[in-house]
Amino acid sequence: MYFLPENIDNYVVEHSQQEPKILKELSRETWQKVLNPRMLSGAFQGRILSMISKLIQPKNILEIGTYTGYSALCLAEGLNANGKIFTIDKNEELETLQNKYFEKSGYSNKIEQFVGNAIEIIPEIDTKFDLVFIDADKSNYINYFHLIIDKMNSGGIILSDNVLWSGKVVEKLDPKDNDTKVLLAYNKLLNSDDRIESVLLPIRDGLTISRVK
């Protein structure tokens, strides 16, 4: 999922804002205790999420895919003074670790956690969003888009992670690979839906920024 030459990638990371201490701690504990730690956003992408959030200063953020809470804390850095993050994850076993770092961060009063099926939960959240981060099961990306698009404020931003899927989107498609098949359709949707304008950035595993018109 790293497409730049290693020396260039290292230079980019070294000359970008470094992650806060609490996120280093969370990253370390995730790698020590949680399965599939590669799902973590990581320091560089986390600083990108933080920067985008700070530029937008969103009042309401929706995150689909909390994992251990790293990206939620990055996004929280740019929240409006009265802002709030709604974050959803299906894995209830991660909730204790999430809460540990949400409390340590000082953002816990701005974060509302949901455990369960995002497809069922999203329609129940009665609010409009300025920023949405989609980073969950790839097979449901299109479903998530259709659920959130009418909940977006004009000028709102949708961030879609892993849209290059380790380069599989440009390789010969395995008929049994449903995730890649859905991502190919999703990327096409983001580039053709008249309600948004999108740019796909080759950052880490691919991050698409879509602005709602």
Side-chain angles (χ1 to χ4, degrees), residues 58-209:
K59 183 176 180 182
N60 289 307
I61 299 174
L62 173 65
E63 178 184 51
I64 307 172
T66 316
Y67 192 46
T68 57
Y70 189 102
S71 53
L73 292 179
C74 293
L75 294 167
E77 294 176 28
L79 271 173
N80 178 286
N82 298 312
K84 190 171 186 179
I85 296 180
F86 302 83
T87 185
I88 307 169
D89 201 279
K90 64 182 179 181
N91 190 349
E92 62 183 19
E93 294 179 0
L94 296 175
E95 196 170 11
T96 299
L97 182 57
Q98 294 164 9
N99 283 326
K100 174 182 175 179
Y101 283 91
F102 290 165
E103 290 290 341
K104 289 178 70 173
S105 72
Y107 291 118
S108 60
N109 63 327
K110 294 177 176 291
I111 301 174
E112 185 169 347
Q113 297 161 266
F114 297 87
V115 177
N117 187 338
I119 290 177
E120 297 174 356
I121 293 170
I122 293 169
E124 300 300 317
I125 302 176
D126 185 22
T127 192
K128 289 275 193 176
F129 300 107
D130 303 301
L131 178 59
V132 171
F133 182 44
I134 303 175
D135 186 21
D137 51 319
K138 312 311 163 190
S139 60
N140 272 312
Y141 266 35
I142 292 174
N143 294 328
Y144 295 144
F145 176 82
H146 290 307
L147 283 172
I148 59 107
I149 187 62
D150 290 330
K151 288 178 170 285
M152 299 296 301
N153 285 318
S154 178
I157 298 295
I158 302 168
L159 302 175
S160 305
D161 200 16
N162 304 117
V163 290
L164 292 178
W165 207 222
S166 299
K168 292 181 182 179
V169 292
V170 294
E171 298 173 355
K172 184 177 179 180
L173 180 64
D174 180 345
K176 297 179 181 179
D177 186 353
N178 188 58
D179 284 343
T180 301
K181 183 178 180 180
V182 172
L183 281 172
L184 286 167
Y186 181 71
N187 290 339
K188 185 175 181 180
L189 170 64
L190 294 186
N191 200 38
S192 60
D193 194 300
D194 291 337
R195 294 170 292 182
I196 58 175
E197 49 189 342
S198 298
V199 59
L200 195 164
L201 303 177
I203 295 169
R204 289 300 190 261
D205 200 26
L207 179 71
T208 296
I209 302 177

